[in-house]
Coordinates of all heavy atoms in Angstrom, one line a residue:
M1031 N 61.0 114.5 92.2 CA 60.2 113.3 92.1 C 58.8 113.7 91.4 O 58.3 114.6 91.6 CB 59.8 112.8 93.6 CG 58.9 111.7 93.5 SD 58.5 111.2 95.2 CE 59.4 109.6 95.2
A1032 N 58.6 112.8 90.4 CA 57.4 113.1 89.6 C 56.4 111.9 89.9 O 56.7 110.9 90.1 CB 57.7 113.0 88.1
R1033 N 55.1 112.4 89.8 CA 54.0 111.4 90.2 C 53.0 111.8 89.0 O 52.5 112.9 88.9 CB 53.5 111.7 91.5 CG 52.4 110.7 91.9 CD 51.9 111.1 93.3 NE 51.4 112.4 93.3 CZ 50.4 112.8 94.1 NH1 50.0 112.0 95.0 NH2 50.0 114.0 94.1
I1034 N 52.5 110.9 88.3 CA 51.5 111.0 87.3 C 50.2 110.3 87.7 O 50.2 109.2 88.2 CB 52.0 110.4 85.9 CG1 53.2 111.2 85.4 CG2 50.9 110.5 84.8 CD1 53.8 110.7 84.2
Q1035 N 49.1 111.0 87.5 CA 47.8 110.5 87.9 C 46.9 110.9 86.8 O 47.0 111.9 86.1 CB 47.4 110.9 89.2 CG 47.0 112.4 89.3 CD 46.6 112.7 90.7 OE1 47.1 112.3 91.7 NE2 45.7 113.7 90.7
R1036 N 45.7 110.3 86.8 CA 44.7 110.5 85.9 C 43.5 110.8 86.6 O 43.1 110.1 87.6 CB 44.4 109.5 84.9 CG 45.6 109.3 84.0 CD 45.4 108.3 82.8 NE 46.5 108.3 82.0 CZ 46.8 107.4 81.0 NH1 46.0 106.5 80.9 NH2 47.8 107.5 80.3
R1037 N 42.8 111.8 86.3 CA 41.5 112.2 86.9 C 40.3 111.9 86.0 O 40.5 111.9 84.8 CB 41.5 113.7 87.2 CG 42.4 114.1 88.2 CD 42.3 115.5 88.7 NE 43.4 115.9 89.5 CZ 43.7 117.1 89.8 NH1 43.0 118.2 89.4 NH2 44.8 117.5 90.6
P1038 N 39.1 111.7 86.5 CA 38.1 111.3 85.7 C 37.7 112.4 84.7 O 38.0 113.7 85.1 CB 36.8 111.1 86.7 CG 37.4 111.5 87.9 CD 38.9 111.7 88.0
P1039 N 37.1 112.1 83.6 CA 36.8 113.2 82.7 C 35.7 114.2 83.1 O 34.9 113.9 83.9 CB 36.2 112.4 81.5 CG 35.8 111.1 82.0 CD 36.6 110.9 83.2
A1040 N 35.9 115.5 82.9 CA 35.0 116.5 83.1 C 34.6 117.2 81.8 O 35.4 117.7 81.1 CB 35.7 117.6 84.0
R1041 N 33.4 117.1 81.5 CA 32.8 117.7 80.3 C 33.4 117.2 79.1 O 33.8 117.9 78.1 CB 32.7 119.2 80.4 CG 31.8 119.7 81.4 CD 31.9 121.1 81.5 NE 33.0 121.5 82.4 CZ 33.8 122.6 82.5 NH1 33.6 123.5 81.7 NH2 34.8 122.7 83.3
G1042 N 33.7 115.8 79.0 CA 34.3 115.3 77.8 C 35.7 115.4 77.5 O 36.3 114.9 76.6
V1043 N 36.5 116.1 78.4 CA 37.9 116.2 78.3 C 38.6 115.4 79.5 O 38.2 115.5 80.6 CB 38.3 117.7 78.5 CG1 39.8 117.7 78.3 CG2 37.7 118.5 77.4
E1044 N 39.6 114.6 79.0 CA 40.3 113.8 80.0 C 41.7 114.4 80.1 O 42.3 114.7 79.0 CB 40.4 112.3 79.5 CG 39.7 111.4 80.5 CD 39.9 109.9 79.9 OE1 39.4 109.6 79.0 OE2 40.5 109.2 80.7
W1045 N 42.2 114.6 81.3 CA 43.5 115.2 81.6 C 44.4 114.2 82.3 O 43.9 113.4 83.1 CB 43.4 116.4 82.5 CG 42.7 117.5 81.8 CD1 41.3 117.8 82.1 CD2 43.2 118.5 80.9 NE1 41.0 119.0 81.3 CE2 42.2 119.3 80.6 CE3 44.4 118.7 80.4 CZ2 42.3 120.5 79.8 CZ3 44.7 119.8 79.6 CH2 43.5 120.6 79.2
E1046 N 45.7 114.3 82.0 CA 46.7 113.5 82.7 C 47.5 114.5 83.5 O 47.8 115.5 83.0 CB 47.6 112.8 81.7 CG 48.7 112.0 82.4 CD 49.5 111.3 81.3 OE1 49.4 111.7 80.1 OE2 50.3 110.5 81.6
F1047 N 47.8 114.3 84.8 CA 48.4 115.2 85.7 C 49.8 114.6 86.1 O 49.9 113.4 86.4 CB 47.6 115.5 86.9 CG 46.4 116.4 86.6 CD1 45.2 115.8 86.1 CD2 46.4 117.7 86.7 CE1 44.1 116.4 85.8 CE2 45.3 118.5 86.4 CZ 44.1 117.8 86.0
E1048 N 50.8 115.5 86.3 CA 52.0 115.2 86.7 C 52.3 116.1 87.8 O 52.3 117.4 87.7 CB 53.1 115.2 85.7 CG 54.5 114.8 86.1 CD 55.6 114.7 85.1 OE1 55.2 115.2 83.9 OE2 56.6 114.2 85.3
T1049 N 52.8 115.6 89.1 CA 53.2 116.5 90.2 C 54.6 116.4 90.3 O 55.2 115.3 90.5 CB 52.4 116.0 91.4 OG1 51.0 115.9 91.2 CG2 52.8 116.9 92.6
L1050 N 55.2 117.6 90.5 CA 56.7 117.6 90.6 C 56.9 118.5 92.0 O 56.2 119.4 92.3 CB 57.4 118.5 89.5 CG 57.2 118.0 88.1 CD1 57.8 119.0 87.1 CD2 57.9 116.7 87.9
V1051 N 57.9 118.0 92.7 CA 58.2 118.7 93.9 C 59.8 119.1 93.7 O 60.7 118.3 93.6 CB 58.1 117.9 95.2 CG1 58.6 118.7 96.4 CG2 56.7 117.5 95.4
L1052 N 60.0 120.4 93.7 CA 61.3 120.9 93.3 C 61.9 121.5 94.5 O 61.3 122.4 95.2 CB 61.3 121.9 92.2 CG 60.6 121.4 90.9 CD1 60.4 122.6 89.9 CD2 61.4 120.3 90.2
P1053 N 63.2 121.2 94.8 CA 63.8 121.8 96.1 C 64.0 123.4 95.9 O 64.1 123.8 94.8 CB 65.1 121.1 96.1 CG 65.4 120.5 94.8 CD 64.1 120.4 94.1
K1054 N 64.2 123.9 97.1 CA 64.3 125.4 97.1 C 65.7 125.9 96.5 O 65.9 127.1 96.2 CB 64.2 126.0 98.5 CG 65.2 125.5 99.5 CD 65.0 126.1 100.8 CE 66.0 125.7 101.9 NZ 65.8 126.4 103.2
E1055 N 66.7 125.0 96.5 CA 67.9 125.3 95.9 C 67.9 125.6 94.4 O 68.8 126.1 93.8 CB 68.9 124.1 96.2 CG 69.3 123.9 97.5 CD 68.3 123.2 98.4 OE1 67.5 122.5 97.9 OE2 68.3 123.3 99.6
F1056 N 66.8 125.1 93.7 CA 66.7 125.3 92.3 C 66.3 126.8 92.1 O 65.4 127.3 92.7 CB 65.7 124.6 91.6 CG 66.0 123.0 91.3 CD1 67.3 122.6 91.8 CD2 65.2 122.3 90.7 CE1 67.6 121.2 91.7 CE2 65.6 120.9 90.4 CZ 66.7 120.4 91.0
S1057 N 67.1 127.5 91.1 CA 66.7 128.9 91.0 C 65.5 129.1 90.2 O 65.1 128.1 89.5 CB 68.0 129.7 90.3 OG 68.1 129.2 88.9
R1058 N 65.0 130.3 90.1 CA 63.7 130.6 89.3 C 64.1 130.2 87.8 O 63.2 129.7 87.1 CB 63.4 132.0 89.5 CG 62.2 132.4 88.7 CD 62.0 133.8 88.8 NE 60.8 134.1 89.7 CZ 60.3 135.2 90.0 NH1 60.8 136.2 89.6 NH2 59.2 135.2 90.7
N1059 N 65.3 130.6 87.3 CA 65.6 130.4 85.9 C 65.7 128.9 85.6 O 65.2 128.5 84.5 CB 67.0 131.1 85.6 CG 66.8 132.5 85.5 OD1 65.7 133.1 85.3 ND2 68.0 133.1 85.7
V1060 N 66.2 128.1 86.5 CA 66.3 126.6 86.3 C 64.8 126.0 86.3 O 64.6 125.2 85.3 CB 67.1 125.9 87.4 CG1 67.0 124.4 87.3 CG2 68.6 126.3 87.3
V1061 N 64.0 126.5 87.2 CA 62.7 125.9 87.2 C 61.9 126.3 85.8 O 61.2 125.5 85.3 CB 61.9 126.4 88.4 CG1 60.5 126.0 88.4 CG2 62.5 125.8 89.7
T1062 N 62.1 127.6 85.4 CA 61.4 128.0 84.2 C 61.8 127.3 83.1 O 61.1 126.8 82.3 CB 61.7 129.5 84.0 OG1 61.3 130.3 85.1 CG2 61.1 130.1 82.7
R1063 N 63.2 127.0 82.9 CA 63.7 126.2 81.8 C 63.2 124.8 81.8 O 62.8 124.2 80.8 CB 65.3 126.2 81.8 CG 65.8 127.4 81.1 CD 67.3 127.3 81.0 NE 67.8 128.0 82.2 CZ 69.0 127.7 82.7 NH1 69.7 126.7 82.4 NH2 69.4 128.3 83.8
M1064 N 63.1 124.2 83.0 CA 62.5 122.8 83.0 C 61.1 122.7 82.6 O 60.7 121.9 82.0 CB 62.6 122.4 84.6 CG 64.0 121.8 85.0 SD 63.8 121.3 86.8 CE 62.6 120.2 86.8
L1065 N 60.3 123.7 83.1 CA 58.9 123.7 82.7 C 58.7 124.0 81.3 O 57.8 123.4 80.6 CB 58.2 124.8 83.6 CG 58.2 124.4 85.1 CD1 57.4 125.5 85.9 CD2 57.5 123.1 85.4
V1066 N 59.4 125.0 80.7 CA 59.4 125.2 79.2 C 59.7 124.1 78.4 O 59.1 123.6 77.5 CB 60.3 126.4 78.8 CG1 60.5 126.5 77.4 CG2 59.7 127.8 79.5
E1067 N 60.7 123.3 78.9 CA 61.1 122.1 78.2 C 60.0 121.0 78.2 O 59.8 120.4 77.2 CB 62.4 121.5 78.9 CG 63.1 120.3 78.1 CD 63.8 120.8 76.8 OE1 64.2 121.9 76.7 OE2 64.0 119.9 76.1
R1068 N 59.4 120.8 79.3 CA 58.3 119.9 79.4 C 57.1 120.3 78.5 O 56.4 119.5 78.0 CB 57.8 119.7 80.8 CG 58.8 118.9 81.6 CD 58.3 118.7 83.1 NE 59.3 117.9 83.8 CZ 59.1 116.5 83.9 NH1 58.2 115.9 83.3 NH2 60.1 115.8 84.7
A1069 N 56.9 121.6 78.5 CA 55.8 122.2 77.7 C 56.1 121.9 76.2 O 55.2 121.5 75.5 CB 55.6 123.5 78.0
E1070 N 57.3 122.2 75.8 CA 57.5 122.2 74.3 C 57.7 120.7 73.8 O 57.3 120.5 72.7 CB 58.9 123.0 74.0 CG 58.7 124.4 74.1 CD 60.0 125.2 73.8 OE1 61.0 124.5 73.8 OE2 59.9 126.4 73.7
H1071 N 58.2 119.9 74.6 CA 58.5 118.4 74.2 C 57.6 117.4 74.7 O 57.5 116.4 74.1 CB 59.9 118.1 74.4 CG 61.0 119.0 73.7 ND1 61.2 119.0 72.5 CD2 61.7 119.9 74.3 CE1 62.1 119.9 72.1 NE2 62.5 120.5 73.2
G1072 N 56.8 117.8 75.7 CA 56.0 116.7 76.3 C 54.5 117.1 76.2 O 53.6 116.3 76.5
G1073 N 54.2 118.3 75.7 CA 52.9 118.8 75.7 C 52.2 119.2 77.0 O 51.0 119.2 77.1
W1074 N 52.9 119.3 78.0 CA 52.4 119.7 79.3 C 52.1 121.2 79.4 O 52.8 122.0 78.8 CB 53.5 119.3 80.4 CG 53.6 117.8 80.6 CD1 54.7 117.1 80.0 CD2 52.9 116.9 81.2 NE1 54.6 115.9 80.3 CE2 53.4 115.6 81.1 CE3 51.7 117.0 82.0 CZ2 52.9 114.5 81.6 CZ3 51.2 115.8 82.5 CH2 51.7 114.6 82.4
E1075 N 51.2 121.5 80.2 CA 50.9 122.9 80.5 C 50.8 123.1 82.1 O 50.5 122.0 82.8 CB 49.6 123.4 79.8 CG 48.4 122.7 80.2 CD 47.2 123.2 79.4 OE1 47.3 123.4 78.2 OE2 46.1 123.4 80.0
L1076 N 51.1 124.2 82.5 CA 51.0 124.5 84.0 C 49.7 124.6 84.5 O 48.8 125.3 84.0 CB 51.8 125.8 84.3 CG 51.9 126.2 85.8 CD1 52.8 125.2 86.5 CD2 52.6 127.6 85.9
D1077 N 49.4 123.8 85.5 CA 48.0 123.8 86.1 C 48.0 124.5 87.5 O 47.2 125.3 87.7 CB 47.6 122.3 86.3 CG 46.1 122.3 86.9 OD1 45.2 122.8 86.3 OD2 46.0 121.6 88.0
R1078 N 49.1 124.2 88.2 CA 49.2 124.9 89.6 C 50.7 124.8 90.0 O 51.4 124.0 89.8 CB 48.3 124.0 90.5 CG 48.3 124.6 91.9 CD 47.4 123.7 92.8 NE 46.0 123.8 92.2 CZ 45.4 122.6 91.9 NH1 45.9 121.5 92.2 NH2 44.2 122.7 91.4
L1079 N 51.1 126.0 90.7 CA 52.4 126.1 91.2 C 52.2 126.7 92.6 O 51.6 127.7 92.7 CB 53.4 126.9 90.3 CG 54.7 127.0 90.9 CD1 55.7 126.6 89.8 CD2 55.0 128.4 91.5
R1080 N 52.8 126.1 93.6 CA 52.7 126.6 95.0 C 54.1 126.5 95.6 O 54.8 125.5 95.4 CB 51.7 125.7 95.8 CG 50.2 125.7 95.3 CD 49.3 125.2 96.2 NE 49.4 126.0 97.5 CZ 48.4 125.9 98.4 NH1 47.3 125.2 98.1 NH2 48.4 126.7 99.4
I1081 N 54.4 127.5 96.3 CA 55.6 127.6 97.0 C 55.3 127.5 98.5 O 54.6 128.3 99.0 CB 56.5 128.8 96.7 CG1 56.7 129.0 95.2 CG2 57.8 128.9 97.5 CD1 57.3 130.3 94.8
G1082 N 55.9 126.5 99.1 CA 55.6 126.1 100.5 C 56.5 126.9 101.4 O 57.3 127.7 101.0
N1083 N 56.1 126.9 102.8 CA 56.9 127.7 103.7 C 58.3 127.3 103.8 O 59.2 128.0 104.1 CB 56.2 127.5 105.1 CG 54.8 128.2 105.1 OD1 54.6 129.1 104.4 ND2 54.0 127.7 106.0
D1084 N 58.6 125.9 103.4 CA 60.0 125.4 103.4 C 60.6 125.8 102.3 O 61.9 125.5 102.1 CB 59.9 124.0 103.6 CG 59.0 123.2 102.5 OD1 58.4 123.9 101.7 OD2 58.9 121.9 102.6
G1085 N 60.1 126.5 101.2 CA 60.7 126.9 100.0 C 60.6 126.0 98.9 O 61.0 126.3 97.7
K1086 N 60.0 124.8 99.1 CA 59.9 123.8 98.1 C 58.8 124.3 97.1 O 57.8 124.8 97.5 CB 59.5 122.5 98.6 CG 60.6 121.7 99.3 CD 60.2 120.4 99.6 CE 61.3 119.7 100.3 NZ 60.9 118.3 100.9
R1087 N 59.0 124.0 95.8 CA 57.9 124.3 94.8 C 57.2 123.1 94.5 O 57.8 122.2 94.1 CB 58.6 125.0 93.5 CG 59.2 126.3 93.7 CD 59.8 126.7 92.3 NE 60.3 128.1 92.4 CZ 61.6 128.4 92.7 NH1 62.4 127.3 93.1 NH2 62.0 129.6 92.8
R1088 N 55.9 123.1 94.6 CA 55.1 122.0 94.1 C 54.3 122.4 92.9 O 53.5 123.4 92.9 CB 54.0 121.7 95.3 CG 54.7 121.0 96.5 CD 53.9 121.0 97.7 NE 54.5 120.5 98.9 CZ 55.5 121.1 99.6 NH1 55.6 122.4 99.3 NH2 56.1 120.5 100.6
V1089 N 54.7 121.7 91.8 CA 54.2 122.0 90.5 C 53.3 121.0 90.0 O 53.6 119.8 90.1 CB 55.4 122.2 89.5 CG1 54.9 122.6 88.2 CG2 56.4 123.2 90.1
V1090 N 52.1 121.3 89.5 CA 51.2 120.3 88.9 C 51.1 120.7 87.4 O 50.7 121.8 87.1 CB 49.7 120.4 89.6 CG1 48.9 119.4 88.9 CG2 49.9 120.0 91.1
L1091 N 51.4 119.7 86.6 CA 51.3 119.9 85.2 C 50.2 119.1 84.5 O 49.8 118.1 85.3 CB 52.6 119.5 84.4 CG 53.9 120.2 84.8 CD1 55.0 119.6 84.3 CD2 53.9 121.8 84.6
R1092 N 49.6 119.5 83.5 CA 48.6 118.7 83.0 C 48.6 118.7 81.4 O 49.2 119.6 80.8 CB 47.1 119.2 83.4 CG 46.8 120.6 82.7 CD 45.4 121.0 83.1 NE 45.1 122.3 82.2 CZ 44.0 122.8 82.4 NH1 43.1 122.5 83.2 NH2 43.7 124.0 81.7
R1093 N 48.1 117.6 80.8 CA 48.0 117.6 79.4 C 46.7 116.7 79.0 O 46.3 115.8 79.7 CB 49.3 117.0 78.7 CG 49.6 115.6 79.0 CD 50.8 115.1 78.3 NE 51.2 113.8 78.7 CZ 52.4 113.3 78.4 NH1 53.2 113.9 77.6 NH2 52.7 112.1 78.9
K1094 N 46.2 117.0 77.9 CA 45.0 116.3 77.5 C 45.4 114.9 77.0 O 46.4 114.7 76.4 CB 44.3 117.0 76.2 CG 43.6 118.2 76.7 CD 42.9 118.8 75.5 CE 42.2 120.1 75.9 NZ 41.6 120.6 74.7
I1095 N 44.5 114.0 77.4 CA 44.6 112.6 76.8 C 43.8 112.5 75.5 O 42.5 112.7 75.6 CB 44.1 111.6 77.9 CG1 44.9 111.7 79.1 CG2 44.1 110.2 77.3 CD1 44.4 110.8 80.3
I1096 N 44.4 112.2 74.5 CA 43.7 112.1 73.2 C 43.6 110.7 73.0 O 44.5 109.9 72.7 CB 44.5 112.8 72.1 CG1 44.7 114.4 72.5 CG2 43.9 112.7 70.8 CD1 45.6 115.1 71.6
R1097 N 42.3 110.3 72.8 CA 42.1 108.9 72.5 C 41.8 108.8 71.0 O 41.1 109.6 70.5 CB 40.7 108.5 73.3 CG 40.9 108.7 74.8 CD 41.1 107.3 75.4 NE 41.0 107.6 76.9 CZ 42.0 107.1 77.7 NH1 43.0 106.4 77.1 NH2 42.0 107.3 79.1
Q1098 N 42.2 107.6 70.5 CA 41.9 107.4 69.0 C 40.7 106.6 69.1 O 40.4 105.7 69.8 CB 43.0 106.6 68.4 CG 44.3 107.4 68.3 CD 45.4 106.6 67.5 OE1 45.3 105.3 67.4 NE2 46.4 107.2 67.1
R1099 N 39.8 107.0 68.0 CA 38.6 106.3 67.9 C 38.7 105.3 66.8 O 39.3 105.5 65.7 CB 37.5 107.2 67.6 CG 37.1 108.1 68.8 CD 35.9 108.9 68.5 NE 35.8 109.8 69.7 CZ 34.9 110.9 69.7 NH1 34.2 111.1 68.6 NH2 34.7 111.5 70.8
L1100 N 38.1 104.1 67.0 CA 38.1 103.0 66.0 C 37.2 103.5 64.9 O 36.0 103.8 65.1 CB 37.6 101.8 66.6 CG 37.5 100.6 65.7 CD1 39.0 100.3 65.1 CD2 36.9 99.3 66.4
T1101 N 37.6 103.5 63.6 CA 36.8 103.8 62.5 C 36.6 102.6 61.8 O 37.5 101.8 61.4 CB 37.5 104.9 61.6 OG1 38.8 104.4 61.2 CG2 37.5 106.2 62.4
L1102 N 35.3 102.3 61.4 CA 34.9 101.2 60.7 C 34.5 101.6 59.2 O 33.7 102.6 59.2 CB 33.8 100.5 61.3 CG 34.2 99.9 62.7 CD1 32.8 99.3 63.4 CD2 35.2 98.8 62.6
F1103 N 35.0 101.0 58.3 CA 34.7 101.3 56.9 C 33.7 100.4 56.4 O 33.9 99.2 56.3 CB 36.0 101.3 56.0 CG 36.9 102.4 56.4 CD1 38.1 102.1 57.1 CD2 36.8 103.7 56.0 CE1 39.1 103.0 57.4 CE2 37.7 104.7 56.4 CZ 38.9 104.3 57.0
A1104 N 32.7 100.9 55.9 CA 31.6 100.0 55.3 C 32.0 99.8 53.9 O 32.4 100.6 53.1 CB 30.2 100.8 55.3
G1105 N 32.0 98.5 53.6 CA 32.6 98.2 52.3 C 31.8 97.5 51.4 O 31.2 96.8 50.8

């Protein structure tokens, strides 16, 4: 299950966060491939990974929010 949230900007950078909860049945190789795929094609980077007592992996990914600025041309 994925959950995306946005946090307020810190020092001029805005981040978008996605939280994944992966079951313990997923092998380390499967999880690695999933995270690499998201990094290469979605621009996500690993922010936090925690393995709970129940074996579930809680992964927090982040990526920068790039805002386009309106440019006005003086003519």
Side-chain angles (χ1 to χ4, degrees):
M1031 172 182 252
R1033 183 181 61 154
I1034 297 178
Q1035 68 181 35
R1036 293 184 175 168
R1037 294 186 188 166
R1041 291 176 276 155
V1043 177
E1044 247 183 294
W1045 295 97
E1046 179 179 14
F1047 291 82
E1048 181 177 12
T1049 303
L1050 304 171
V1051 179
L1052 305 172
K1054 66 179 182 179
E1055 290 80 22
F1056 285 8
S1057 71
R1058 177 184 255 179
N1059 290 335
V1060 169
V1061 172
T1062 301
R1063 277 186 266 147
M1064 281 179 54
L1065 297 178
V1066 167
E1067 187 74 21
R1068 286 182 181 267
E1070 288 180 351
H1071 298 289
W1074 294 98
E1075 60 185 49
L1076 183 64
D1077 184 58
R1078 183 175 301 126
L1079 182 126
R1080 297 190 64 158
I1081 300 175
N1083 292 336
D1084 56 357
K1086 289 183 183 177
R1087 291 178 177 93
R1088 288 165 183 81
V1089 181
V1090 178
L1091 303 172
R1092 72 178 185 179
R1093 67 179 168 189
K1094 284 185 183 178
I1095 298 174
I1096 301 172
R1097 304 255 185 231
Q1098 291 184 346
R1099 294 186 179 168
L1100 179 63
T1101 55
L1102 300 175
F1103 294 102

